[in-house]
Amino acid sequence: MTTDDTLLIRAFDAGDTYMSFRWLDQPDAPVVHRVTADARDRCLAMLNRALIAETDEAAGAEPVRAAVLGLFSQLESELALATELGSLLLPGEVLRKLLARAEHCPIRARIIPSKLLARVPFELLAVDGDRRLIEVADLCYEPPAAIHVRRARIPEPWQAESTGRPVLYVIDPHVNEASGLQRILSHDEFQGSVTNTDLFVRRMANRATTRHSGVGEVISRRDLSSALQSGPRRFVYFGHASSTIDEPGSASLHLSDDAAEWGLAEVVNQAHRPLSALDLFLGTEYPHLGPRGAATLRHKARGHQLWPMPARVALIACESGVDFRSSETFGLVTAMFHAGAQVVTSTRWVLPSDAAFTMYAGITDIPGPTTELALAVDETHEQDDPVRALAEWQRHKLRIWQSDPGPATSPLTWATIVCNVCEPRRVRPSRQITRDRIDMVESLSWPMTKHHRAAADERFPDDDNAEGDADIDDSPRADVDDRFARWEQRWDELDARSEAANDSGDRQAIGSAYAVLADHLVDVGAAEDVIGLLLIAYDAYHGVDRGAAIRCLIAAGLVALDDGEYDEAQDLFEAANEESTQFQDSALMAITGNYLGVTAIQTGEYHVAESSLQAAMTILLPNNSKDLTDLLADIRINRANVDRLIGRRGRAELHLRTELEQVPPETLVAAKCAASLGFLYADNVQYADALALLEEARSAFENLGAADDATDCEIVPAHVRALNDDIDGAIRSTLDLRELLVADDRPDKVAYCDYNLANLYGLSHKFTDADDAYDRALRGLADTGQHHRIPYLLRNRSQRLLLEAKTHPQYQNALTQDALDISIVALIVLSHKRFQFPDARRRSDWSGAFAELLTTIFEMAFDFGGDDLVADLIESGINEGVYGHTHGVRPNGPIQYPMAAAPIVRRGGHRDVAITLGAAAALLTSAALPLTSPPPPHSSPTPTASCSATTAPTRRSPTPI
C-alpha cells in the first residue's frame, strides 16, 4: 500500500463531532467536516436500537432477542441506517475523491473514531446508492499517535520463518460458574455430526499450538503468562470480555482465576477476578494498588514482561475494542499494543452467542454466526495482510447479506469486527524538566535594612492613646522610633543568644534560639529570611526533638503561605506531614494534613488536597478530645471546599450545611463555614443566598478580629452587582478593594482584583482599560504563583476580544483570530490538568468543567480558522487520551506512561500522565508556564501566626473561600 492510496479519518467530540479527512499524498490539504450534535445523536440512537442494549440484569434476555431479530436482521432497515450514517459522516468532497481514486487503486482508510462514533460500523456506510464503504476501501482502526512514546515492546516483524512457531488458542476458557458467566460454546448445541466446538478442535489439530491452548480448558493469568513468554506467533482469544464505560483500563478478559488471585480488576460475584487492561499494562510492579489478602505475588514485573504479546492478536469477545468509547483511549487493544502487538482484531459491540441465534431465530447451522466470525478472523491472521484479508471476508459476507438477508447472515456479527493496527514508529525523545528541592539554609546574617525599618513602621503603628510627657517627644514618629528601638534591642539580644548557642554546639539550644529569632522577625523581616531561620532551627532540632523540628516546618510553611508562596508552602507542609507520619504523632499528622490540603487547594492540586484532608479526618475521627474539635470541623469545611471546587457541589452543600448547624455560632469556624457556603451559592448562581451568607461571614470575621477574611468576603458581592447590571458599582467596589489590598501588601489578592476588573471593564466596553487590567492580572498571577488561574484569565480575555469584535466589525477578523489563539492555549492547559487525578472516572468528571470552552473553541476554529487548524485540534484532542489508574491511589514512584508525549513535571518528581503533540507539548514542558490544576478563581484568607517552634503554631487553619 503506497501513501497515495491511504486516507486518514479522525473524529473528535466537542459538543458537535468534528472530523478530518487527509490523504497521505496531500497532508497539507485536509478536509474538515462538522456533524451536528442533533443529527449525530439521532443516527446513533438508531444504531443503538440495532445492537444489544446496555441494560441492567433485570432486563434478562430481551435485549439479546431484540438485537437478533431487530434492525440488523432486515436489509431495508439496515440500508436505511447505513445511508443515514453515510450522508452524515462522509462529506461530498471526500466521497467524490474516494470513488475516483478507487477506480485506479485499492484504498486503505485508517480511522480514529471519536468516543461517540466508536461503535459506528464504518464498513457499512453507504457511499453511492447501496454501495458500501467496505466495497471501495479496506478499513482499519489505529490508536492515537501518542501511544508510540515509551512503547514497552516493539512488534516483531511478521516474516515467513515465523510460521513454524505455534499459535496460542484460548477458546471459551473455563470460568467459575459462580461468576454468572455462561459458556460461549454451549453444550446444548444442535445434535448434528459436527459441533461448533469440534470446529475449533479440528482447527487446532491442524496447526502447531502452545502448551496451554485448548477449548473450555482451565487457564489462569499465570498460565497465560507462561504461554505468551514461550513466544507464540499469534494469540487467539474467543471468550468473555467486559468493561465499565469511561473507566479506562477496566476492560478485561475472563480466564479461570478465582477471587483469591491478585489483580487490578474488581472481583465478579466474589468468585472470579478477570484480567484487566490495567493488569496487562502495569503488571505486578505496584502490589499496593491491588487487593489486600489476595494470593501472594511471586515477583514484581511490568505487564509487557508478564504477558508479552505476539505481533498478531485476535480478541473475539463482547466489545473487546472498547478503548475508543472512553474519554481516554485505553483498553485491551491499547494494552496489547504496548506489550508488543501490531495487529489486534477486536469487536465494537456486544456479540450474541450461537445459542442466542438458535434460541431466537432458529439458526442451527454449523458453524454458528459467532463461531464463523471467530474462525474467519483466525484465518485472516495467517495472511500476509490481515487488514486486506478481513476486508475481503467482510465484502463476501456483505454480498451474502444483500442476496439472502436474515438473522443468519446479519451484520450484527460480521460488521462488528475491525482490525486495529499499530506499526512500529520512531519517536523523538521528549525534553525533561526537573524541579529544585527546598534549599535548607545553613547560615544567615541579619543587617537591619530600610526594608526592615519600613516593615517595622507597619508592625509598630502610632498609638493615639499613648500618654506623653513634657520632656519626651510624643509625636507619632517618635513613638514608632521608640517601639522600633525596643524591637531592635530585643533582636540584638536574641542574635547574641543564637551565636552563643552555635558556639556551644547544643542542638536543642540552637533550635530554640533560632526559632525564637524567627518569631521575632515575623512581619518585620522578609519572609524568606524568617523561613531560613526556621529551617536552621529545624535542622538543629531534628536529631534531638522531632516534634519541635516538625513544628518548625509547619511554621515555615505558614510564613510561606502568608507571603503567597504557595508552591514553597506546599513543599514545606508535605515535608512536615511525612515527618509527622514517621514520628507517629496523630495530632501533628492531622494538623499538617490539614495545612497541606489547604495549600494544595491554592496550587490547584485537588487530588493532593482531597487525599491529605481525608487522611487527617480519618486520624481525628476516633479522637474525642475537645482540644481537637475545632480542628476536625476545620478539616471538614476544607474537605467540602475541595468537593465544591471539583464540581461535587451537592455533596459540598450537604456537608457545609451540616457543619454550620453543628458548630457554635459566632465562632471563627462558623464564619468560615458560612463564607464557604456563600461562595458555593455564588457558583450555583444563587446570588441572594450567597450575599446573605457572605455578609453574615464578613460581620463575624470583623467581630472576631479576622480583618483579612472579612475583606475577602467583599469579592463576590462585586461580581453579583455586575450581574445585576450595576457594572459601574462593581468597578468602584473592586477598585476600593484593590486599594485596600495594595495597602495590606497582599499581591495575590491584588492580582485577583485586576482579574475581576479586566472582566468588568470588558463588559462595560472599556477595552483599553480591560487590556491594562488583564496585563496586570497576568503578571500578578504569575508572580504570586497562581498559575492555575491563568487559563481562566485567558478564557475571559478571549470572550472580551469576541465582544469587541462584535462591537467593531471592521476589526473582526484580527480580533477573532487573537481570541481563537488565546482560547486554544487556555483549553490545552485546562484539559491537561485533569491528569492530576489517578482515578480515570474523576478525570472524566473534571473534563466536564471545561466542556463549554471546548465546544466554543471548535466552533470558532470551524467558523473562522482554516481546515488545517481544525484538523490539528482534532489530532491534539485525540492524543490527550492516556492510561490511568482506577483505584484512586498514586503509586509510590513515577510510572512511565507510554502515551506521555510530553512528561508533566509533578511535585516530588511524580509524572502521572501527559498529552499531545507539537505546540501543546512544548507549552506543557515550558518553565514559563508551570502548571497546576485550575480551580474557580476564588480568594483565600491570610491568617496570622506565631512561629514559636516549642509549641504548636497558634495560627488558625485557613479556609479557601
Side-chain angles (χ1 to χ4, degrees):
M1 193 73 61
T2 59
T3 58
D4 60 355
D5 50 31
T6 300
L7 174 64
L8 304 184
I9 303 176
R10 307 287 188 256
F12 187 72
D13 303 318
D16 297 335
T17 294
Y18 294 82
M19 303 183 68
S20 68
F21 302 82
R22 193 191 307 258
W23 293 94
L24 282 190
D25 62 336
Q26 297 177 330
D28 297 329
V31 175
V32 297
H33 175 58
R34 176 163 62 186
V35 180
T36 65
D38 288 344
R40 175 199 64 207
D41 294 345
R42 186 173 59 253
C43 272
L44 292 183
M46 293 173 59
L47 173 62
N48 291 337
R49 288 195 297 272
L51 306 177
I52 297 176
E54 298 170 343
T55 59
D56 56 28
E57 294 181 1
E62 175 55 27
V64 180
R65 187 200 66 79
V68 169
L69 302 178
L71 185 149
F72 275 157
S73 67
Q74 303 170 31
L75 179 59
E76 182 178 352
S77 57
E78 180 273 325
L79 179 58
L81 174 61
T83 302
E84 189 81 12
L85 285 170
S87 62
L88 184 73
L89 302 180
L90 300 175
E93 179 181 354
V94 172
L95 269 181
R96 287 190 292 273
K97 185 170 290 188
L98 177 67
L99 294 173
R101 288 192 178 218
E103 295 293 330
H104 305 287
C105 60
I107 305 296
R108 175 154 300 176
R110 291 163 38 190
I111 305 169
I112 301 182
S114 70
K115 175 181 174 180
L116 293 176
L117 301 185
R119 297 205 297 174
V120 169
F122 284 87
E123 294 81 359
L124 295 181
L125 267 55
V127 296
D128 184 13
D130 62 355
R131 192 179 183 191
R132 310 302 182 91
L133 185 57
I134 189 63
E135 296 182 275
V136 296
D138 300 338
L139 278 65
C140 65
Y141 279 5
E142 59 184 10
I147 192 176
H148 296 282
V149 179
R150 298 190 183 92
R151 191 175 182 183
R153 288 186 73 245
I154 302 302
E156 296 179 352
W158 182 263
Q159 298 173 340
E161 54 266 26
S162 68
T163 57
R165 289 156 53 189
V167 178
L168 171 59
Y169 286 96
V170 178
I171 309 299
D172 196 14
H174 173 79
V175 182
N176 189 327
E177 291 183 1
S179 68
L181 297 174
Q182 299 178 355
R183 295 289 303 272
I184 299 294
L185 298 173
S186 173
H187 291 293
D188 298 326
E189 291 179 304
F190 176 72
Q191 297 300 311
S193 57
V194 178
T195 67
N196 287 314
T197 299
D198 293 336
L199 296 180
F200 283 107
V201 172
R202 291 178 182 178
R203 175 67 58 89
M204 288 185 287
N206 293 325
R207 287 192 178 138
T209 61
T210 64
R211 173 188 169 195
H212 291 288
S213 293
V215 180
E217 300 293 332
V218 172
I219 178 169
S220 69
R221 67 189 61 207
R222 299 169 191 261
D223 296 330
L224 180 64
S225 173
S226 175
L228 289 170
Q229 289 177 3
S230 69
R233 77 174 188 272
R234 294 195 294 110
F235 172 32
V236 179
Y237 176 84
F238 181 40
H240 285 291
S242 63
S243 65
T244 300
I245 301 303
D246 229 350
E247 270 199 25
S250 66
S252 302
L253 302 178
H254 292 269
L255 303 176
S256 306
D257 297 309
D258 60 23
E261 182 59 78
W262 188 94
L264 297 177
E266 296 295 328
V267 170
V268 178
N269 290 341
Q270 300 182 337
H272 160 64
R273 190 183 304 280
L275 179 67
S276 71
L278 204 58
D279 288 305
L280 295 175
F281 175 52
L282 292 180
T284 58
E285 190 168 8
Y286 302 99
H288 62 284
L289 294 179
R292 296 180 180 179
T296 303
L297 295 176
R298 295 175 184 173
H299 65 284
K300 295 181 182 180
R302 295 304 299 268
H304 68 274
Q305 297 168 325
L306 292 172
W307 298 284
M309 292 295 159
R312 297 182 181 182
V313 177
L315 297 176
I316 314 304
C318 290
E319 204 171 7
S320 56
V322 74
D323 303 55
F324 295 101
R325 289 193 68 189
S326 297
S327 56
E328 299 172 16
T329 307
F330 177 40
L332 292 168
V333 173
T334 313
M336 290 178 173
F337 283 151
H338 178 62
Q342 178 171 326
V343 175
V344 179
T345 302
S346 64
T347 62
R348 296 184 175 100
W349 54 71
V350 174
L351 281 169
S353 65
D354 293 323
F357 281 102
T358 300
M359 181 179 299
Y360 301 121
I363 297 170
T364 58
D365 296 342
I366 300 296
T370 307
T371 295
E372 180 191 15
L373 172 68
L375 292 169
V377 170
D378 175 47
E379 189 60 37
T380 64
H381 277 216
E382 286 290 319
Q383 309 307 310
D384 290 339
D385 185 349
V387 175
R388 170 62 58 81
L390 181 63
E392 291 288 0
W393 180 76
Q394 287 178 311
R395 284 189 276 269
H396 169 69
K397 295 299 293 183
L398 174 64
R399 289 191 291 270
I400 294 175
W401 161 247
Q402 290 172 327
S403 62
D404 184 20
T409 59
S410 169
L412 188 60
T413 52
W414 58 263
T416 187
I417 204 75
V418 65
C419 273
N420 302 266
V421 180
C422 186
E423 297 180 350
R425 296 186 190 177
R426 295 185 60 186
V427 180
R428 181 179 179 180
S430 55
R431 183 161 54 95
Q432 307 258 345
I433 297 177
T434 59
R435 187 180 184 278
D436 294 335
R437 296 182 176 273
I438 303 172
D439 181 17
M440 290 295 187
V441 181
E442 299 295 338
S443 63
L444 291 170
S445 59
W446 303 105
M448 298 308 295
T449 65
K450 291 182 179 179
H451 169 80
H452 298 145
R453 179 57 180 263
D457 288 350
E458 295 182 3
R459 180 159 183 176
F460 310 121
D462 176 29
D463 185 354
D464 293 334
N465 297 321
E467 296 184 3
D469 188 280
D471 298 327
I472 298 176
D473 182 358
D474 61 353
S475 66
R477 179 73 262 170
D479 184 64
V480 171
D481 286 344
D482 181 58
R483 290 167 180 265
F484 180 73
R486 292 198 300 273
W487 182 90
E488 191 169 24
Q489 180 182 357
R490 178 60 175 161
W491 169 267
D492 291 338
E493 294 171 359
L494 295 175
D495 193 32
R497 175 185 167 189
S498 65
E499 290 181 5
N502 279 332
D503 293 340
S504 72
D506 185 335
R507 297 179 70 85
Q508 186 81 32
I510 294 171
S512 176
Y514 277 96
V516 174
L517 195 62
D519 187 62
H520 188 64
L521 194 61
V522 168
D523 293 336
V524 177
E528 60 265 27
D529 294 345
V530 178
I531 293 171
L533 289 170
L534 286 167
L535 291 179
I536 294 174
Y538 160 80
D539 193 43
Y541 274 131
H542 197 269
V544 294
D545 190 338
R546 194 76 175 272
I550 293 169
R551 293 184 180 94
C552 285
L553 285 178
I554 295 173
L558 292 172
V559 172
L561 188 63
D562 237 356
D563 198 44
E565 292 294 334
Y566 299 129
D567 285 337
E568 184 177 11
Q570 184 169 341
D571 285 334
L572 289 163
F573 288 136
E574 280 183 341
N577 189 248
E578 289 175 6
E579 295 229 7
S580 300
T581 303
Q582 295 171 7
F583 191 45
Q584 288 298 297
D585 186 312
S586 58
L588 285 177
M589 289 165 64
I591 291 169
T592 55
N594 190 33
Y595 284 137
L596 176 57
V598 169
T599 313
I601 292 173
Q602 298 300 325
T603 61
E605 296 196 24
Y606 296 138
H607 173 64
V608 174
E610 187 177 42
S611 59
S612 59
L613 290 168
Q614 188 63 46
M617 197 156 50
T618 302
I619 291 168
L620 290 184
L621 282 175
N623 194 322
N624 295 320
S625 171
K626 292 183 178 179
D627 296 337
L628 298 175
T629 300
D630 284 352
L631 176 60
L632 180 57
D634 204 44
I635 293 171
R636 284 172 171 158
I637 294 171
N638 292 331
R639 179 66 180 80
N641 273 288
V642 175
D643 285 332
R644 173 175 68 89
L645 294 169
I646 62 177
R648 295 177 171 180
R649 294 178 182 172
R651 176 174 170 176
E653 180 180 7
L654 175 63
H655 289 310
L656 289 172
R657 280 211 161 278
T658 302
E659 203 65 38
L660 193 59
E661 293 171 359
Q662 294 177 350
V663 298
E666 299 180 2
T667 61
L668 203 56
V669 172
K672 292 161 66 176
C673 193
S676 297
L677 196 55
F679 282 113
L680 184 145
Y681 285 146
D683 292 341
N684 289 340
V685 201
Q686 297 171 253
Y687 293 124
D689 293 334
L691 287 174
L693 282 165
L694 289 170
E695 177 55 30
E696 176 187 330
R698 185 199 62 77
S699 177
F701 282 135
E702 283 187 349
N703 293 335
L704 294 165
D708 288 341
D709 290 342
T711 301
D712 292 338
C713 289
E714 291 290 333
I715 295 177
V716 164
H719 282 289
V720 175
R721 280 190 285 273
L723 292 168
N724 288 332
D725 295 326
D726 185 12
I727 296 177
D728 290 338
I731 291 174
R732 287 193 300 271
S733 298
T734 307
L735 285 171
D736 291 342
L737 180 60
R738 184 184 190 280
E739 185 177 350
L740 180 62
L741 293 169
V742 169
D744 287 346
D745 192 24
R746 299 177 69 187
D748 53 332
K749 303 299 172 58
V750 172
Y752 185 53
C753 283
D754 286 328
Y755 180 116
N756 291 337
L757 284 170
N759 297 335
L760 294 171
Y761 283 135
L763 290 172
S764 61
H765 292 197
K766 298 176 181 178
F767 298 123
T768 301
D769 290 338
D771 286 339
D772 291 341
Y774 275 120
D775 290 339
R776 291 196 307 271
L778 184 60
R779 290 194 300 271
L781 292 173
D783 290 345
T784 57
Q786 300 183 83
H787 299 90
H788 54 285
R789 304 193 194 278
I790 291 177
Y792 288 94
L793 179 72
L794 296 175
R795 182 189 65 180
N796 292 341
R797 189 164 199 169
S798 172
Q799 293 172 341
R800 162 252 174 283
L801 290 168
L802 292 175
L803 183 62
E804 185 179 1
K806 183 177 181 180
T807 307
H808 300 290
Q810 65 272 32
Y811 306 127
Q812 186 177 48
N813 290 341
L815 290 169
T816 301
Q817 185 61 56
D818 288 345
L820 180 58
D821 291 343
I822 291 172
S823 294
I824 289 172
V825 174
L827 176 66
I828 290 169
V829 180
L830 285 171
S831 179
H832 160 78
K833 294 325 298 166
R834 73 175 182 265
F835 296 125
Q836 66 177 302
F837 298 110
D839 182 0
R841 186 169 289 280
R842 296 285 304 284
R843 287 198 294 273
S844 178
D845 292 342
W846 173 259
S847 299
F850 53 89
E852 181 180 352
L853 176 61
L854 180 70
T855 299
T856 301
I857 289 174
F858 268 85
E859 287 177 351
M860 290 170 59
F862 191 83
D863 292 338
F864 302 108
D867 285 0
D868 54 345
L869 172 62
V870 179
D872 287 346
L873 282 175
I874 293 171
E875 200 75 44
S876 293
I878 288 170
N879 281 280
E880 287 176 348
V882 296
Y883 302 142
H885 301 295
T886 59
H887 293 265
V889 181
R890 171 180 281 184
N892 294 329
I895 292 179
Q896 303 297 325
Y897 285 83
M899 297 180 72
I904 296 173
V905 181
R906 303 293 297 176
R907 188 172 306 283
H910 290 291
R911 279 179 291 156
D912 280 357
V913 286
I915 69 173
T916 182
L917 311 170
L923 172 66
L924 296 178
T925 56
S926 168
L929 187 58
L931 297 176
T932 53
S933 304
H938 298 313
S939 59
S940 58
T942 305
T944 57
S946 164
C947 291
S948 171
T950 56
T951 60
T954 59
R955 170 179 290 178
R956 61 181 173 77
S957 173
T959 300
I961 62 175

